Amino acid sequence: MLLFLRLRERLLPSAEPPVRYLIERLGQFIIANTEANLCAPRYNPSPAQRMALEDVIKTPACWAPSLSTTDTSPLPYPSISWWWDHC
């Protein structure tokens, strides 16, 4: 997500209308996909399939009021940090 935000901020000021449209819609898709997953059966099993509440850590189904960081530098994980070299 940080890489997307970094690229968006870099590309939007000089983007032609079709690219600007794509970048803006991609941001909306990310939000929509995240919200849809909050109620997807895959992540919210039926009561019969659920584990006891004390056996799981529940992810809050809400948006944070603000970014947790403004640092868009690569995370210290080689499996994903190489993407930053391509942007």
Side-chain angles (χ1 to χ4, degrees):
M1 194 65 212
L2 289 173
L3 184 54
F4 168 72
L5 294 172
R6 178 179 165 187
L7 287 172
R8 184 189 68 180
E9 296 307 312
R10 193 176 89 198
L11 295 174
L12 273 179
S14 61
E16 297 289 328
V19 175
R20 177 178 291 277
Y21 179 86
L22 177 66
I23 293 169
E24 290 170 351
R25 295 314 176 269
L26 182 57
Q28 292 173 353
F29 172 78
I30 291 169
I31 292 169
N33 184 58
T34 304
E35 288 180 347
N37 284 332
L38 290 174
C39 60
R42 176 179 180 177
Y43 303 110
N44 296 287
S46 67
Q49 298 171 324
R50 290 188 184 146
M51 296 160 75
L53 186 57
E54 59 271 6
D55 295 337
V56 297
I57 298 173
K58 191 78 170 151
T59 302
C62 63
W63 292 99
S66 62
L67 293 174
S68 59
T69 182
T70 57
D71 180 13
T72 59
S73 60
L75 296 173
Y77 307 111
S79 60
I80 59 170
S81 64
W82 65 273
W83 278 99
W84 272 254
D85 296 333
H86 298 282
C87 300

